[in-house]
Amino acid sequence: MALNTSPDAPLPVGEVSRLIGGWIDRLGAVWVEGQITQLSRRPGQGVVFMTLRDPSYDISVAVTCYRQVFDAVADVVSEGARVVVHAKPEWYAPRGQLSLRAVEIKPVGIGELLARLEQLKRALGGEGLFAVDRKKALPFLPHRVGLVCGRASAAERDVLENARRRWPAVRFEVRNVAVQGIHAVTQVIEAVQELDQDPAVDVIIVARGGGSVEDLLPFSDEQLVRAVFACRTPVVSAIGHEPDSPLLDLVADLRASTPTDAAKKVVPDVGEELERVRQLRDRALRTVRGVLEREERGLAHALGRPAMERPHRMVDEREAEVDALVARSRRVLGHLLDRAESELSHTRARVVSLSPAATLERGYAVLQRADGAVVRAPGEVGGGEELRARVFEGEFAVRVVE
C-alpha cells in the first residue's frame, strides 16, 4: 500500500482509515485461540461483544459475533474460558479499530489442553529448563521468605501459620496476586521478579490451593516458567494438591505437595533442631568420655610396666654394661700397648746392633777425607794427606806417612 505523500500533500485521516480497511477486507478468515476476558451479552441485542486475550503475551483483540453463534456454546463458555474462534478481521473506519467477526466458536477441551501442556513440557524440557543439575539448594535457615499467593487465601494462612509454628523468628515478604483468571500470569511473574531482586529474600514460595485443570493453567504458562528459571533466588512450588503437577513444579528448585508441605520444607522445626543439638551434644560427650577412658587405661597400663615402676633400673643396667665395656676396653688397650712396647724394644735392639756407633764402640774407627768422604781403601789416600779419624767418643786428625 505504497502512497505518494509529503508534508505538502498529506492524506486525510479518513482516507488512511479507508485504505487500511480495504487492505484488511482482503484478508481471509483465520482460526484464533485465546482466553475470553470480557463478555457482553446485552438483552435485546443481536450482537455479542467479547475480548480475546493471549495470556502468554498480554495481547488482546476485540471479537464480535451474532447471538446465535454464541448461543451455540453459551452453556460451556464464560469469562476466563479458552476458546478457538473462526473469524474474519474487520476494520471499523470511523474509530480506526480492528476487530474479529466470529462465525464459529469452539471451547478448548480438557484433553486438548493437557495435550498442549505435554507438548510444551517436552519443548521446555529439551531446552534444559527442568534439568536437575541446575536446581539451587535451599538455605538451611532463611531469614526472610518471599511468599506469592492469593489474598487472604488458605494457602497463605497454611504457609504463614505452619512456618511460624516451626520457627517463630522467621520473617515473610508477602505478595498477594491473582492465582487464577486472566491477570494471574502477569501478576505472579511481577511478584516473583520483584522478590528475586530483593537481596533480603533468601527463598521464594509460590503457593495456591487446589483447583481444576483450568484454574491451575496460569502455573503452566511458558512465560511464568521462564521467569522462574531465570531467578537467582531458590523457588519452591506449592501449587494445588499432591496429584496436581503444573509445569511450575518442574522448573522450581523444590516441589512441595501442598502449601503446608512447603512451610515444612523451607523452615526447620525449632523443636526438632533443639533435639538434634541435644543428641549431637550427648554423642560428643560420649565420644570424649570414651577417648578419655581409653587414654586413662593406656596410661594405667604404661605406669604398671616395670620400667615405669623402677625407672632407675634401666639406668643401673646400662651403667653396669658401660663399666664392663670400659674394663674390657682397658684390658684390650693394655694388651695392645704391651705388645707394641715389646715390638718396639726388639726393633730398638736391632737398630742399635746395626748402628755405626755400636761398631765404633767396639774399637773401630772411620777415616774421612777433608771433604767428608769415607776412606775405604789405601789407594784412595796419598802420603802426607791429613785425615779425620772418628772413634766412639770423638774424633782426631791423623797424617798419612809413606
Side-chain angles (χ1 to χ4, degrees):
M1 194 172 59
L3 299 175
N4 294 323
T5 62
S6 67
D8 298 328
L11 288 178
V13 173
E15 181 64 15
V16 173
S17 181
R18 185 187 65 79
L19 292 173
I20 293 174
W23 181 78
I24 292 178
D25 286 340
R26 292 195 293 271
L27 297 178
V30 294
W31 286 97
V32 182
E33 179 184 351
Q35 184 179 26
I36 298 177
T37 58
Q38 294 180 355
L39 180 61
S40 176
R41 298 176 62 194
R42 296 179 180 178
Q45 289 187 349
V47 178
V48 176
F49 298 90
M50 66 185 77
T51 301
L52 199 62
R53 175 179 175 271
D54 187 333
S56 299
Y57 297 96
D58 197 17
I59 298 176
S60 302
V61 63
V63 178
T64 61
C65 66
Y66 292 112
R67 177 174 291 274
Q68 57 268 28
V69 173
F70 185 82
D71 288 344
V73 293
D75 295 337
V76 294
V77 170
S78 60
E79 285 192 7
R82 292 204 177 196
V83 295
V84 176
V85 176
H86 192 215
K88 185 180 185 306
E90 289 185 346
W91 181 257
Y92 186 59
R95 295 184 181 177
Q97 182 178 358
L98 176 68
S99 64
L100 298 176
R101 171 70 71 172
V103 296
E104 185 178 358
I105 300 176
K106 291 184 177 181
V108 177
I110 297 299
E112 187 175 357
L113 286 176
L114 294 178
R116 292 180 184 179
L117 288 179
E118 186 63 27
Q119 183 179 6
L120 178 60
K121 175 182 175 181
R122 288 196 299 269
L124 297 179
E127 296 182 25
L129 272 66
F130 306 148
V132 177
D133 55 358
R134 57 140 300 266
K135 295 184 181 298
K136 298 174 283 294
L138 270 62
F140 166 71
L141 181 58
H143 295 86
R144 188 176 296 275
V145 179
L147 176 59
V148 180
C149 59
R151 184 179 303 277
S153 61
E156 178 181 5
R157 184 179 63 255
D158 291 344
V159 172
L160 296 180
E161 290 182 358
N162 284 279
R164 288 167 178 164
R165 188 181 301 117
R166 292 171 62 82
W167 197 275
V170 68
R171 296 293 179 266
F172 278 89
E173 193 72 26
V174 181
R175 295 292 183 272
N176 293 124
V177 297
V179 292
Q180 70 181 60
I182 59 176
H183 302 295
V185 174
T186 302
Q187 293 185 12
V188 172
I189 290 176
E190 292 175 353
V192 169
Q193 291 176 342
E194 180 181 350
L195 292 173
D196 183 48
Q197 295 172 2
D198 188 347
V201 175
D202 299 321
V203 62
I204 301 172
I205 300 176
V206 181
R208 185 201 190 284
S212 63
V213 175
E214 295 90 339
D215 293 339
L216 301 182
L217 280 179
F219 299 97
S220 293
D221 184 83
E222 180 179 356
Q223 300 304 312
L224 176 58
V225 171
R226 294 188 181 277
V228 171
F229 178 78
C231 285
R232 295 170 298 177
T233 308
V235 178
V236 177
S237 174
I239 305 301
H241 301 300
E242 182 67 33
D244 300 323
S245 182
L247 297 186
L248 180 63
D249 286 350
L250 303 179
V251 74
D253 298 291
L254 179 68
R255 189 246 181 186
S257 57
T258 62
T260 300
D261 184 50
K264 294 180 179 179
K265 290 182 176 179
V266 170
V267 180
D269 185 89
V270 63
E272 294 177 358
E273 296 306 318
L274 290 175
E275 178 63 21
R276 185 175 292 108
V277 170
R278 186 191 65 78
Q279 293 176 358
L280 292 175
R281 181 182 59 193
D282 294 344
R283 179 180 176 184
L285 289 175
R286 289 195 301 271
T287 302
V288 172
R289 289 195 184 102
V291 172
L292 292 177
E293 291 174 357
R294 184 172 63 253
E295 296 301 324
E296 287 177 353
R297 289 194 298 270
L299 182 60
H301 178 70
L303 292 175
R305 300 179 63 181
M308 297 301 294
E309 291 180 349
R310 295 177 55 195
H312 294 287
R313 176 182 177 182
M314 186 181 298
V315 177
D316 296 340
E317 292 176 353
R318 298 296 178 269
E319 182 181 8
E321 293 177 2
V322 171
D323 292 342
L325 292 173
V326 169
R328 179 181 176 186
S329 63
R330 285 177 177 174
R331 290 194 300 272
V332 172
L333 182 59
H335 294 158
L336 293 175
L337 291 175
D338 292 343
R339 184 186 302 169
E341 184 179 4
S342 177
E343 293 177 354
L344 181 61
S345 298
H346 288 86
T347 302
R348 182 175 179 276
R350 289 194 300 272
V351 170
V352 169
S353 64
L354 297 175
S355 172
T359 303
L360 295 177
E361 186 178 3
R362 291 196 296 270
Y364 292 92
V366 178
L367 294 177
Q368 293 177 312
R369 303 176 70 176
D371 58 0
V374 177
V375 179
R376 292 181 174 84
E380 295 179 355
V381 298
E385 183 178 354
E386 291 186 356
L387 302 176
R388 300 289 299 176
R390 177 181 289 277
V391 293
F392 178 71
E393 294 184 355
E395 62 181 23
F396 56 88
V398 296
R399 184 181 296 278
V400 178
V401 296
E402 295 182 359

